[in-house]
Amino acid sequence: MPATFGAVDFGKEVRRRREALGLTLEQLAERARLTPNYIGGIEAGRRDPSLSSVLALAKGLGVPPGELVGGIHDLEPAAIEAARLFQGASEDVQDAVLRLLRAVTRGRRRSG
């Protein structure tokens, strides 16, 4: 991958997500079919992952590859979990959740 990809940022994101899921390097390595040493090098920013490694890590972490490459940043693990749950819900449930969140957010802005 080119240097502009941000190997250090990518590695930090992999580590953040791995730890949020409570996975060890060994567990993620097994899920991604990579070695713990290789993943450790990626997390430390010492290795530039290939596209196939990015895809394998995304699969091992259960996220779309774009999320690891800059899709979402600064989200807490609970927000990521909420997004996954939301995505799997029916359209009616998604609509109700969005209406609730919009109402709560509007209420906070008015009182703040």
Side-chain angles (χ1 to χ4, degrees):
M1 301 234 146
T4 58
F5 177 66
V8 172
D9 292 336
F10 177 79
K12 286 180 182 177
E13 184 64 12
V14 169
R15 176 176 284 145
R16 183 180 78 80
R17 289 174 179 270
R18 176 179 61 78
E19 290 175 348
L21 291 170
L23 297 174
T24 64
L25 274 172
E26 292 75 15
Q27 290 168 324
L28 177 56
E30 186 175 318
R31 286 179 170 203
R33 297 184 181 183
L34 299 169
T35 67
N37 188 46
Y38 181 68
I39 296 172
I42 290 171
E43 287 186 353
R46 294 188 309 266
R47 302 193 86 138
D48 289 330
S50 65
L51 178 57
S52 62
S53 294
V54 171
L55 296 174
L57 286 166
K59 184 175 181 179
L61 292 167
V63 298
E67 288 187 16
L68 295 178
V69 191
I72 55 175
H73 288 289
D74 301 327
L75 286 182
E76 296 294 321
I80 295 168
E81 179 185 6
R84 279 199 200 99
L85 292 170
F86 179 86
Q87 190 171 7
S90 71
E91 192 174 321
D92 290 345
V93 170
Q94 288 181 0
D95 185 53
V97 168
L98 285 174
R99 281 186 280 132
L100 174 66
L101 288 172
R102 287 176 185 134
V104 169
T105 303
R106 275 193 300 269
R108 233 186 307 161
R109 278 187 247 151
R110 287 183 191 145
S111 65

